[in-house]
Amino acid sequence: GIIDDPIKSGKEAYNDRVLEDQWSWYTDTFISRLEEGALQIINMTRWSTKDLCGKLLDEEPEDWYVFKRRAYNKETKQMLCPSLLSYQSYLDKTRKMSQPIAEANFNQDPVDIQGRLYATFETYVHLPDRFERIILYTDTADEGTDYLCSIAAGVREGRAYVLDVIYTQRPMEVTEPLVARQIHLNGVQFPRMESNNGGRGFARAVQEKLWTAYQTRRPHIEWFHQTENKRARILTNSSCVMHDVLFPADWQSRWPE
């Protein structure tokens, strides 16, 4: 029985529900089709310690032989298969990726072994003369211990320059006028808010605050239901965040939380 590349993307790899479904398929369907004495081969990129290989190595470590080769051997300074991936191409690709993602892709080291995903953030001292648009994204708090996070950023040539961040556990009667003020002061043109967990009502309240406090109905706040797994979104977009989202140079003191 051969299972080839069951995980098709990073979003699948970091979605616990997808991983659980794959494990259920393996235990309930795949092994029932194997005849006595059958061999099993699983060929896949090791994205997560919770993936199919990870679970099997936890459950049956003595029953499996692990065949793993790194794309680049640091000791011999040789590529595994130069005709498939040259050293120059390897350097170019890994330079554009976050280190944990590169290690998973090319060296079979699961991302969740690597530790935190954000090694560094790009920063700026001076803003561009103008922006193509100013955007805002708000994730409302869904529990008493959760944080509301609202980020305003100016976009120029495909990069986002973070202008303002609200990150707080304060109640909605405080955060609604705070976010309205954030939109007004930063000249936001395209605000988006997650409608999950009361976010739709929050968006409507902020829209009303824009009128009562600043006598404007612009911009129109777009609210939407976020269906993608949060952990998967964080992991798959980490490289983009580190390269294309720029924070002010003093971001650590300005927004320590």
Side-chain angles (χ1 to χ4, degrees):
I2 301 174
I3 299 174
D4 181 58
D5 204 17
I7 294 175
K8 302 304 180 186
S9 69
K11 287 185 178 181
E12 289 187 3
Y14 309 123
N15 189 321
D16 288 341
R17 183 186 58 78
V18 172
L19 297 180
E20 288 169 6
D21 286 347
Q22 290 194 358
W23 177 247
S24 294
W25 171 82
Y26 174 81
T27 58
D28 299 343
T29 302
F30 179 75
I31 58 176
S32 69
R33 298 175 178 177
L34 301 177
E35 296 181 4
E36 186 67 27
L39 296 176
Q40 297 181 53
I41 298 173
I42 302 175
N43 175 57
M44 65 184 294
T45 298
R46 291 300 317 282
W47 287 93
S48 168
T49 54
K50 297 179 183 179
D51 61 23
L52 188 55
C53 283
K55 283 182 175 290
L56 287 170
L57 290 173
D58 283 340
E59 298 266 339
E60 309 164 342
E62 302 301 322
D63 294 343
W64 292 89
Y65 173 73
V66 179
F67 182 81
K68 181 173 78 169
R69 294 293 182 271
R70 303 176 72 87
Y72 175 63
N73 188 319
K74 294 180 181 179
E75 295 180 1
T76 64
K77 300 187 183 306
Q78 291 182 327
M79 296 300 297
L80 180 63
C81 183
S83 62
L84 204 65
L85 181 67
S86 69
Y87 181 63
Q88 192 57 46
S89 294
Y90 172 76
L91 289 179
D92 182 59
K93 291 178 179 181
T94 54
R95 187 165 48 243
K96 295 172 183 175
M97 297 178 181
S98 64
Q99 184 180 354
I101 297 293
E103 288 298 313
N105 267 298
F106 297 113
N107 298 317
Q108 296 295 299
D109 289 332
V111 167
D112 48 4
I113 287 178
Q114 301 297 319
R116 66 179 187 175
L117 287 177
Y118 302 114
T120 58
F121 286 134
E122 294 284 336
T123 60
Y124 67 84
V125 176
H126 302 292
L127 290 168
D129 295 336
R130 62 178 181 82
F131 289 118
E132 296 157 11
R133 62 188 184 279
I134 298 177
I135 61 176
L136 177 127
Y137 193 105
T138 303
D139 180 7
T140 58
D142 57 359
E143 308 178 341
T145 58
D146 201 4
Y147 281 77
L148 172 139
C149 182
S150 185
I151 303 176
V155 178
R156 177 73 180 270
E157 297 179 349
R159 308 188 87 188
Y161 294 76
V162 175
L163 304 173
D164 189 32
V165 175
I166 297 174
Y167 188 67
T168 179
Q169 289 178 302
R170 301 182 74 181
M172 286 189 177
E173 57 264 28
V174 175
T175 55
E176 287 166 1
L178 272 180
V179 174
R181 182 174 182 270
Q182 182 186 41
I183 291 172
H184 179 70
L185 291 183
N186 289 283
V188 173
Q189 300 157 304
F190 300 96
R192 303 188 78 208
M193 296 185 181
E194 293 186 10
S195 64
N196 312 40
N197 307 305
R200 180 178 178 181
F202 184 87
R204 287 176 170 171
V206 171
Q207 192 84 66
E208 188 59 32
K209 292 288 190 299
L210 284 170
W211 173 251
T212 56
Y214 307 105
Q215 288 73 57
T216 180
R217 302 233 180 244
R218 294 180 180 277
H220 173 71
I221 297 173
E222 177 191 353
W223 52 266
F224 70 103
H225 185 72
Q226 178 59 264
T227 58
E228 293 186 349
N229 178 271
K230 180 173 286 189
R231 183 167 179 265
R233 283 186 289 134
I234 291 170
L235 293 170
T236 54
N237 288 295
S238 62
S239 179
C240 175
V241 169
M242 286 191 291
H243 289 91
D244 297 323
V245 178
L246 287 79
F247 288 78
D250 62 345
W251 67 269
Q252 286 179 313
S253 58
R254 194 185 298 189
W255 307 305
E257 288 183 283

